[in-house]
């Protein structure tokens, strides 16, 4: 049986919660040109203002943005880390399924579904997070984690960043079982 969309999205969310565990330094320190009001009349960052000013100086800074966006479940913010050439591939050892998301529209859909289908993350552990910068501006992040409470017995995640600090490839291997 193929990996369900909502179940595969929980993997990505779990990675985002690691931000809370490691409390990385903020990557974005610029100002916003304006705010808009949401229906509750509270300030909200204008997505286009944020997008215009987002230019991480390093892979570490881009990684920080990625985790901040996960913690906030902010699809617009997380999409700043991707472009039309980005590809997210998820393989599940439990059932042999492989799902590939290409380009901004598919990656955005992936994260929208992820943020809609979250569950118990109290068992989240991440024993390895390696951030490597490369000369020329690119780099990679290697992540090993598990979250048995959400059905993830084991998981690895590799993010490949281009010189523009955009995630070009995100390769995910999980052993995910359905949790009742």
């Amino acid at each position: 049986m193929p990996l369900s969309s909502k179940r595969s999205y929980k993997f990505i969310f779990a990675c985002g919660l690691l931000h809370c565990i490691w409390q990385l330094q903020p990557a974005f320190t610029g100002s916003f040109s304006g705010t808009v009001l949401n229906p509750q009349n509270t300030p909200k960052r204008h997505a286009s203002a944020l997008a215009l000013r987002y230019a991480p100086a390093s892979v570490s800074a881009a990684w920080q943005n990625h985790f901040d966006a996960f913690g906030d479940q902010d699809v617009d913010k997380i999409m700043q880390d991707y472009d039309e050439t980005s590809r997210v591939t998820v393989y599940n050892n439990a059932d042999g399924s492989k799902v590939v998301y290409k380009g901004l529209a598919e990656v955005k859909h992936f994260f929208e579904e992820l943020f809609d289908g979250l569950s118990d993350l109290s068992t989240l552990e991440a024993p390895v997070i390696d951030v490597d910068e490369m000369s020329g501006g690119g780099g990679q992040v290697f992540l090993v984690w598990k979250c048995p409470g959400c059905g993830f017995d084991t998981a690895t995640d590799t993010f490949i960043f281009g010189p523009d600090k955009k995630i070009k490839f995100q390769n995910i291997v999980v052993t995910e079982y359905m949790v009742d």
Side-chain angles (χ1 to χ4, degrees), residues 86-99:
S86 298
R87 184 180 76 201
V88 176
T89 303
V90 181
Y91 177 80
N92 187 351
N93 284 313
D95 63 11
S97 63
K98 176 182 163 188
V99 182

PDB file of all heavy atoms in Angstrom, residues 86-99:
ATOM      1  N   SER A  86      13.292  22.634  -7.587  1.00  0.00           N
ATOM      2  CA  SER A  86      13.359  21.809  -6.379  1.00  0.00           C
ATOM      3  C   SER A  86      12.609  20.492  -6.545  1.00  0.00           C
ATOM      4  O   SER A  86      11.596  20.417  -7.251  1.00  0.00           O
ATOM      5  CB  SER A  86      12.769  22.566  -5.190  1.00  0.00           C
ATOM      6  OG  SER A  86      13.501  23.735  -4.925  1.00  0.00           O
ATOM      7  N   ARG A  87      13.142  19.480  -5.854  1.00  0.00           N
ATOM      8  CA  ARG A  87      12.510  18.154  -5.876  1.00  0.00           C
ATOM      9  C   ARG A  87      12.582  17.548  -4.481  1.00  0.00           C
ATOM     10  O   ARG A  87      13.649  17.523  -3.866  1.00  0.00           O
ATOM     11  CB  ARG A  87      13.214  17.245  -6.874  1.00  0.00           C
ATOM     12  CG  ARG A  87      12.537  15.884  -7.011  1.00  0.00           C
ATOM     13  CD  ARG A  87      13.247  15.002  -7.994  1.00  0.00           C
ATOM     14  NE  ARG A  87      14.461  14.489  -7.360  1.00  0.00           N
ATOM     15  CZ  ARG A  87      15.503  14.026  -8.022  1.00  0.00           C
ATOM     16  NH1 ARG A  87      15.514  14.024  -9.335  1.00  0.00           N
ATOM     17  NH2 ARG A  87      16.557  13.570  -7.376  1.00  0.00           N
ATOM     18  N   VAL A  88      11.446  17.064  -3.987  1.00  0.00           N
ATOM     19  CA  VAL A  88      11.365  16.363  -2.713  1.00  0.00           C
ATOM     20  C   VAL A  88      10.968  14.923  -3.022  1.00  0.00           C
ATOM     21  O   VAL A  88       9.943  14.678  -3.661  1.00  0.00           O
ATOM     22  CB  VAL A  88      10.330  17.013  -1.764  1.00  0.00           C
ATOM     23  CG1 VAL A  88      10.194  16.212  -0.477  1.00  0.00           C
ATOM     24  CG2 VAL A  88      10.705  18.463  -1.463  1.00  0.00           C
ATOM     25  N   THR A  89      11.796  13.972  -2.574  1.00  0.00           N
ATOM     26  CA  THR A  89      11.528  12.551  -2.801  1.00  0.00           C
ATOM     27  C   THR A  89      11.386  11.854  -1.454  1.00  0.00           C
ATOM     28  O   THR A  89      12.249  12.006  -0.585  1.00  0.00           O
ATOM     29  CB  THR A  89      12.676  11.892  -3.598  1.00  0.00           C
ATOM     30  OG1 THR A  89      12.849  12.601  -4.829  1.00  0.00           O
ATOM     31  CG2 THR A  89      12.381  10.425  -3.882  1.00  0.00           C
ATOM     32  N   VAL A  90      10.301  11.101  -1.294  1.00  0.00           N
ATOM     33  CA  VAL A  90      10.043  10.370  -0.052  1.00  0.00           C
ATOM     34  C   VAL A  90       9.946   8.881  -0.387  1.00  0.00           C
ATOM     35  O   VAL A  90       9.132   8.478  -1.226  1.00  0.00           O
ATOM     36  CB  VAL A  90       8.728  10.828   0.620  1.00  0.00           C
ATOM     37  CG1 VAL A  90       8.490  10.067   1.921  1.00  0.00           C
ATOM     38  CG2 VAL A  90       8.736  12.332   0.866  1.00  0.00           C
ATOM     39  N   TYR A  91      10.775   8.068   0.280  1.00  0.00           N
ATOM     40  CA  TYR A  91      10.728   6.606   0.127  1.00  0.00           C
ATOM     41  C   TYR A  91      10.417   5.997   1.487  1.00  0.00           C
ATOM     42  O   TYR A  91      11.026   6.361   2.495  1.00  0.00           O
ATOM     43  CB  TYR A  91      12.064   6.062  -0.391  1.00  0.00           C
ATOM     44  CG  TYR A  91      12.046   4.556  -0.493  1.00  0.00           C
ATOM     45  CD1 TYR A  91      11.440   3.930  -1.569  1.00  0.00           C
ATOM     46  CD2 TYR A  91      12.605   3.774   0.507  1.00  0.00           C
ATOM     47  CE1 TYR A  91      11.390   2.543  -1.647  1.00  0.00           C
ATOM     48  CE2 TYR A  91      12.564   2.393   0.436  1.00  0.00           C
ATOM     49  CZ  TYR A  91      11.949   1.779  -0.642  1.00  0.00           C
ATOM     50  OH  TYR A  91      11.902   0.414  -0.717  1.00  0.00           O
ATOM     51  N   ASN A  92       9.466   5.054   1.519  1.00  0.00           N
ATOM     52  CA  ASN A  92       9.089   4.384   2.760  1.00  0.00           C
ATOM     53  C   ASN A  92       9.549   2.925   2.720  1.00  0.00           C
ATOM     54  O   ASN A  92       9.065   2.142   1.896  1.00  0.00           O
ATOM     55  CB  ASN A  92       7.575   4.456   2.964  1.00  0.00           C
ATOM     56  CG  ASN A  92       7.145   3.922   4.321  1.00  0.00           C
ATOM     57  OD1 ASN A  92       7.935   3.345   5.069  1.00  0.00           O
ATOM     58  ND2 ASN A  92       5.881   4.110   4.638  1.00  0.00           N
ATOM     59  N   ASN A  93      10.466   2.576   3.626  1.00  0.00           N
ATOM     60  CA  ASN A  93      10.949   1.195   3.730  1.00  0.00           C
ATOM     61  C   ASN A  93       9.842   0.210   4.099  1.00  0.00           C
ATOM     62  O   ASN A  93       9.924  -0.969   3.742  1.00  0.00           O
ATOM     63  CB  ASN A  93      12.048   1.091   4.795  1.00  0.00           C
ATOM     64  CG  ASN A  93      13.363   1.639   4.336  1.00  0.00           C
ATOM     65  OD1 ASN A  93      13.822   1.352   3.241  1.00  0.00           O
ATOM     66  ND2 ASN A  93      13.989   2.430   5.180  1.00  0.00           N
ATOM     67  N   ALA A  94       8.835   0.660   4.817  1.00  0.00           N
ATOM     68  CA  ALA A  94       7.789  -0.236   5.305  1.00  0.00           C
ATOM     69  C   ALA A  94       6.958  -0.828   4.178  1.00  0.00           C
ATOM     70  O   ALA A  94       6.576  -1.993   4.236  1.00  0.00           O
ATOM     71  CB  ALA A  94       6.892   0.489   6.304  1.00  0.00           C
ATOM     72  N   ASP A  95       6.685  -0.031   3.147  1.00  0.00           N
ATOM     73  CA  ASP A  95       5.827  -0.541   2.072  1.00  0.00           C
ATOM     74  C   ASP A  95       6.444  -0.403   0.679  1.00  0.00           C
ATOM     75  O   ASP A  95       5.818  -0.759  -0.313  1.00  0.00           O
ATOM     76  CB  ASP A  95       4.449   0.132   2.110  1.00  0.00           C
ATOM     77  CG  ASP A  95       4.499   1.634   1.872  1.00  0.00           C
ATOM     78  OD1 ASP A  95       5.560   2.161   1.474  1.00  0.00           O
ATOM     79  OD2 ASP A  95       3.464   2.290   2.092  1.00  0.00           O
ATOM     80  N   GLY A  96       7.655   0.119   0.594  1.00  0.00           N
ATOM     81  CA  GLY A  96       8.326   0.248  -0.693  1.00  0.00           C
ATOM     82  C   GLY A  96       7.817   1.369  -1.576  1.00  0.00           C
ATOM     83  O   GLY A  96       8.179   1.459  -2.747  1.00  0.00           O
ATOM     84  N   SER A  97       7.003   2.263  -1.027  1.00  0.00           N
ATOM     85  CA  SER A  97       6.457   3.355  -1.845  1.00  0.00           C
ATOM     86  C   SER A  97       7.463   4.493  -1.982  1.00  0.00           C
ATOM     87  O   SER A  97       8.286   4.738  -1.105  1.00  0.00           O
ATOM     88  CB  SER A  97       5.162   3.885  -1.226  1.00  0.00           C
ATOM     89  OG  SER A  97       5.415   4.442   0.049  1.00  0.00           O
ATOM     90  N   LYS A  98       7.368   5.173  -3.112  1.00  0.00           N
ATOM     91  CA  LYS A  98       8.217   6.334  -3.401  1.00  0.00           C
ATOM     92  C   LYS A  98       7.328   7.407  -4.021  1.00  0.00           C
ATOM     93  O   LYS A  98       6.590   7.138  -4.969  1.00  0.00           O
ATOM     94  CB  LYS A  98       9.325   5.956  -4.363  1.00  0.00           C
ATOM     95  CG  LYS A  98      10.200   7.114  -4.796  1.00  0.00           C
ATOM     96  CD  LYS A  98      11.253   6.642  -5.801  1.00  0.00           C
ATOM     97  CE  LYS A  98      11.866   7.791  -6.543  1.00  0.00           C
ATOM     98  NZ  LYS A  98      12.730   7.330  -7.636  1.00  0.00           N
ATOM     99  N   VAL A  99       7.386   8.617  -3.459  1.00  0.00           N
ATOM    100  CA  VAL A  99       6.606   9.733  -3.960  1.00  0.00           C
ATOM    101  C   VAL A  99       7.571  10.882  -4.253  1.00  0.00           C
ATOM    102  O   VAL A  99       8.429  11.188  -3.424  1.00  0.00           O
ATOM    103  CB  VAL A  99       5.534  10.190  -2.941  1.00  0.00           C
ATOM    104  CG1 VAL A  99       4.700  11.333  -3.503  1.00  0.00           C
ATOM    105  CG2 VAL A  99       4.647   9.029  -2.517  1.00  0.00           C
TER     106      VAL A  99
END
